[in-house]
Amino acid sequence: MTLRLRLTLWYTLLLAVILLIFAMLFHAILARTLFSQVDDTVRSQADQVVAILQADIDPTRSRLPVAIVLASQVLAQAMKADGEVYDRSPSLMGETLILPEHIRQTNLKGVASFYTWRDAERYLRVYSVPVHAPDGRIVAIVQIAQSLAPIESVLKIVRLALLVGGAAAFGDPGHAGGNPGRLLVRIGQGGPAANVVHGARPQGAGGVVQVPAQGAHVRPVLGYLVVFPQGA
């Protein structure tokens, strides 16, 4: 294996690791940010809806505030403590938001919960909140949901863009090790960088290499002195 090939393989491996780490971090941070925004939206809307319902003597007789629900474009549903749905937003078009039993039991203990629901037709982030009567009893549960499908589509596009960008980086003929203007000499064969001089040709194991007359600089990389031409 030639010296240039070895350096090229090392640079390619290093570049691959760096790109992979960058892509994973970027994707994770973007996904977390987008999902957090959805959580903030459904939590905020749920708090407003619950506050309006709890202002009534009997929250189970109050209707969902359609103006708030429609303005935020979320899905909303209200059910009694026993699980009977008594109101839902028009955006649900008569369908029902599924409430897992363990979430319902958590709500009946007075604790609000997030959960994600996915089936063949819907991919939703749901915030389920207990509703208290004036005497403190939990008489209802409100669910506010928002679709995660748009976020999933965005993340797919981002993954594709990162994949294409990584492929383009490896396809660049000037990437690490692939630039023919870079000259190499192993450290120890020719001594320190002072042996890399202008106007000299490579001389076997002597380690003397030619350096471009203008703007060249030398870096030690993986046990070699690498001569980079101007702009490299």
Side-chain angles (χ1 to χ4, degrees):
M1 183 182 295
T2 66
L3 180 61
R4 180 176 295 279
L5 179 58
R6 290 170 62 185
L7 234 346
T8 298
L9 292 177
W10 273 107
Y11 266 102
T12 301
L13 177 61
L14 181 61
L15 179 62
V17 171
I18 292 174
L19 288 176
L20 179 61
I21 293 174
F22 169 78
M24 292 176 63
L25 287 176
F26 179 80
H27 185 275
I29 292 172
L30 178 62
R32 182 174 181 178
T33 300
L34 294 176
F35 284 119
S36 294
Q37 290 177 350
V38 171
D39 285 354
D40 291 343
T41 297
V42 295
R43 183 192 292 114
S44 174
Q45 297 305 311
D47 290 344
Q48 293 184 53
V49 170
V50 169
I52 292 174
L53 295 183
Q54 290 183 159
D56 198 305
I57 295 178
D58 184 359
T60 60
R61 292 187 177 182
S62 297
R63 306 289 294 179
L64 290 170
V66 177
I68 293 178
V69 173
L70 290 179
S72 59
Q73 298 181 339
V74 297
L75 308 174
Q77 178 175 279
M79 64 174 59
K80 296 180 180 179
D82 61 5
E84 178 189 353
V85 176
Y86 67 88
D87 196 14
R88 55 174 62 89
S89 63
S91 53
L92 275 171
M93 295 183 291
E95 297 185 8
T96 299
L97 291 175
I98 303 299
L99 179 64
E101 181 60 25
H102 72 281
I103 298 294
R104 189 176 77 88
Q105 293 300 325
T106 299
N107 292 159
L108 293 178
K109 295 177 182 178
V111 180
S113 297
F114 281 104
Y115 67 94
T116 301
W117 179 261
R118 187 167 198 164
D119 55 28
E121 298 180 354
R122 295 181 296 185
Y123 182 27
L124 305 173
R125 184 64 168 168
V126 188
Y127 188 52
S128 187
V129 192
V131 179
H132 296 80
D135 59 6
R137 292 179 299 111
I138 296 175
V139 295
I141 295 172
V142 167
Q143 295 165 272
I144 303 295
Q146 185 167 328
S147 175
L148 295 178
I151 292 180
E152 188 175 39
S153 298
V154 169
L155 293 178
K156 284 182 179 179
I157 294 174
V158 169
R159 287 194 293 269
L160 178 60
L162 291 173
L163 181 62
V164 172
F170 282 105
D172 179 9
H175 84 275
N179 188 336
R182 297 177 184 177
L183 304 175
L184 313 173
V185 58
R186 184 161 183 83
I187 296 174
Q189 290 182 345
N195 285 336
V196 183
V197 297
H198 291 284
R201 295 283 182 181
Q203 298 178 1
V208 181
V209 300
Q210 181 179 8
V211 179
Q214 299 293 331
H217 55 281
V218 180
R219 300 179 195 164
V221 180
L222 300 174
Y224 294 85
L225 293 176
V226 183
V227 182
F228 294 82
Q230 184 176 18

